[in-house]
Structure formats: C-alpha cells, structure tokens
Amino acid sequence: MRKKLLSAVGAAAIAVSLAACSTGASGAPDAGAEASDGLTLAEVQERGELVVGTEGTYRPFSYHEGGSGALTGYDIEVVTAVAEKLGVEVSFEETQWDAIFAGLQSGRFDIIANQVSINDEREAAYTMSEPYTVSPGVLIVADSNTEIASFDDLSGFSSAQSLTSNWYEVAVGYGATVEAVEGWAQAAELLSQGRVDATVNDELTFLDFEKTEGDTGLKIVDETDDASLNAFALPKGSDDLAAAINEALAELRADGTLAAISESYFGSDVSE
C-alpha cells in the first residue's frame, strides 16, 4: 500500500529539533562556519576546474569500484558530463556526508554531487540546480518482519537513518525512534543484524543494493508517492554558475546523455 508524505509528516518534522554533526539535519549552515559569497561561471572557467564534493562511499551514486578502484557512479558521471559542457576539468574532494555541507560553505569545493534532495531549508541556505534524479523514498524491513507493513506502522519502532538526510525527517514524522548511522551501508547492516526494525531510504539505493548483493533478506513494504528530487548544491548566491549548470543539464537531457547514464546504472531513465 502506497502512502503519500502526509502534511502531518511535514508538521512533525518541523516540530522536531534537528541535531546533526556539523551542518544541521537538512544541510543548513553551521553558525560557526565561514560563509561563501557564491561563485560565477567566469570564476570556474578562469580556474579551468570544477571542484566537486562527494562521499565516494555511496553506491551506485558515488563510490570506488571494488572498494579501492577509480571513483565512479551515477552522480560522478553526470557531474563530469556537466563539467565538460562548461569547458572545464573536474576534480573531486571526498568527505563524509555529515561534513559535506560545511565543506561547501567553507569553500573547500564548488558544488556537491551526492544525491542532495531539494527541500525548503536547503533552498534557503544554498543555491540548488535543477534536479537530475527523481526517485521515491521507500520503507525497508527484514523479510521476516510482519509488524511493519506501511509508514503508519513505524510509530514506536526503531529506524536507522543519517541525521542529515530527508529520510530522517520522514522516519521521525511517522513516530520512529531513530538510530543514527553514517549512511546506507551501515543502515542495511544494522537492519540485517536485527539491531533496528526499519530504515527509510531512496528506492534506487535499495534496488542497486539488491542487484549487487543478491538475496539481502530485506524487503520494501511501502513507498512515498512524492518523489525525492535530487540536485547539485552550490554556495548561496551562485546563480550565474547554477544557470550554466542547468543549461548543461538541459543539453545532456536533450541529447540523451542523462538517459544513457541512467540506463547503465538502473535500467531506466531516472533523470526526469
């Protein structure tokens, strides 16, 4: 049974005090961090390089093939194609998710390419590109779990979530007790070990996990009708650079590049 992200979830999420390691649960700026003035396309082109912040541990979006091979993934290929359209080289700065927004704000990199979901708080704090991934959130439990069949059943159960993820807000909004994790890999491990009851995450992440691992012992029991829209995050005020990135994305969508990248990772076009 599919459930829409009810207005009650949003109200509950707003009411919760969102604590995080460095930047706030939705990627809001840390009060102690030095703010950026934003970037222009001319500045990036003069430098000849687009510096990208990414995790490098978030398969299939940003990861190292075989654990130690070259950095690859859906987001990596998309942002590399964008940089080519802008006429610049691309370089990557890898960092943990919980520190990634602080790195953007401090000027360590120019943009984040790491499945950053668009929400009101991030749009207020950063300049966001047009989305390049569209995917619903899903509720995942162990195959043997018969108590949780929908988001409405989450209340009173534990859910493994990154504190800076939109899915954290969904889990809390439905009354789950959150077990903080660094990302999907740790959430899946805790769930498989029976140390938590559920996790909420992006559908594409779970489908890739199943494709890679085979029989995982986990299942999807519900999904949101409201899809997550994921985009590049830029320092606030980077409207000129964002416009150029949006134009590049539009060209890549029109010439079939985004669809081809999507097909190679997911078997379908997830870019729109």
Side-chain angles (χ1 to χ4, degrees), residues 4-6 9-10 12-13 137-139 151 154 159 161 165-176 178 200-201 224 226:
K4 186 171 281 190
L5 289 182
L6 305 178
V9 175
V138 291
L139 176 60
F151 283 107
L154 260 184
S159 186
Q161 308 294 150
S165 165
N166 280 4
W167 309 126
Y168 163 85
E169 298 182 19
V170 174
V172 169
Y174 278 102
V178 168
V200 183
N201 211 293
T224 64
D226 292 339

Side-chain angles (χ1 to χ4, degrees), residues 56-57 59 63-70 94:
T57 57
R59 187 183 179 98
Y63 66 101
H64 289 269
E65 191 65 60
S68 59
E94 296 180 44

Side-chain angles (χ1 to χ4, degrees), residues 106-120:
S106 67
R108 180 180 169 192
F109 30 78
D110 303 327
I111 69 172
I112 298 171
N114 205 90
Q115 289 295 293
V116 178
S117 298
I118 298 173
N119 61 29
D120 291 342

Side-chain angles (χ1 to χ4, degrees), residues 22-24 27-33 101 105 121 125-126:
S22 61
T23 60
D30 179 37
F101 289 99
Q105 191 181 0
E121 191 170 359
Y126 308 99

Side-chain angles (χ1 to χ4, degrees), residues 217-235:
L218 307 179
K219 63 183 178 181
I220 293 174
V221 292
D222 202 358
E223 70 177 47
T224 64
D225 287 336
D226 292 339
S228 172
L229 303 178
N230 302 307
F232 300 122
L234 295 78

Side-chain angles (χ1 to χ4, degrees), residues 2-272:
R2 298 186 177 187
K3 300 285 185 181
K4 186 171 281 190
L5 289 182
L6 305 178
S7 58
V9 175
I14 292 172
V16 175
S17 175
L18 301 179
C21 295
S22 61
T23 60
S26 299
D30 179 37
E34 182 180 349
S36 169
D37 293 329
L39 291 168
T40 66
L41 174 62
E43 288 175 319
V44 172
Q45 289 181 327
E46 182 178 359
R47 190 199 313 145
E49 180 183 55
L50 184 69
V51 184
V52 179
T54 193
E55 279 185 280
T57 57
Y58 188 21
R59 187 183 179 98
F61 305 105
S62 170
Y63 66 101
H64 289 269
E65 191 65 60
S68 59
L71 182 66
T72 188
Y74 175 75
D75 287 53
I76 302 305
E77 291 199 30
V78 171
V79 76
T80 299
V82 166
E84 184 176 345
K85 287 286 186 181
L86 299 181
V88 298
E89 299 294 324
V90 63
S91 65
F92 296 96
E93 289 283 341
E94 296 180 44
T95 188
Q96 289 185 347
W97 172 257
D98 287 348
I100 205 166
F101 289 99
L104 179 68
Q105 191 181 0
S106 67
R108 180 180 169 192
F109 30 78
D110 303 327
I111 69 172
I112 298 171
N114 205 90
Q115 289 295 293
V116 178
S117 298
I118 298 173
N119 61 29
D120 291 342
E121 191 170 359
R122 287 179 184 150
E123 287 190 303
Y126 308 99
T127 296
M128 304 295 295
S129 76
E130 292 296 319
Y132 59 91
T133 314
V134 179
S135 178
V138 291
L139 176 60
I140 304 159
V141 301
D143 283 341
S144 59
N145 190 312
T146 59
E147 296 180 284
I148 302 175
S150 73
F151 283 107
D152 289 334
D153 298 327
L154 260 184
S155 181
F157 288 98
S158 59
S159 186
Q161 308 294 150
S162 167
L163 297 183
T164 53
S165 165
N166 280 4
W167 309 126
Y168 163 85
E169 298 182 19
V170 174
V172 169
Y174 278 102
T177 300
V178 168
E179 177 74 22
V181 295
E182 292 183 358
W184 163 252
Q186 188 178 4
E189 181 178 5
L190 292 181
L191 188 54
S192 297
Q193 294 172 349
R195 295 167 59 185
V196 296
D197 302 306
T199 187
V200 183
N201 211 293
D202 184 275
E203 180 183 39
L204 295 180
T205 301
F206 179 73
L207 294 179
D208 177 77
F209 179 67
E210 278 199 320
K211 178 182 176 182
T212 303
E213 301 297 328
D215 184 9
T216 64
L218 307 179
K219 63 183 178 181
I220 293 174
V221 292
D222 202 358
E223 70 177 47
T224 64
D225 287 336
D226 292 339
S228 172
L229 303 178
N230 302 307
F232 300 122
L234 295 78
K236 192 68 175 175
S238 303
D239 298 340
D240 175 72
L241 180 57
I245 289 173
N246 290 340
E247 182 177 350
L249 287 171
E251 292 175 3
L252 293 167
R253 188 171 284 110
D255 68 18
T257 299
L258 290 186
I261 295 173
S262 295
E263 289 282 350
S264 69
Y265 284 96
F266 308 109
S268 63
D269 187 0
V270 302
S271 67
E272 56 183 352

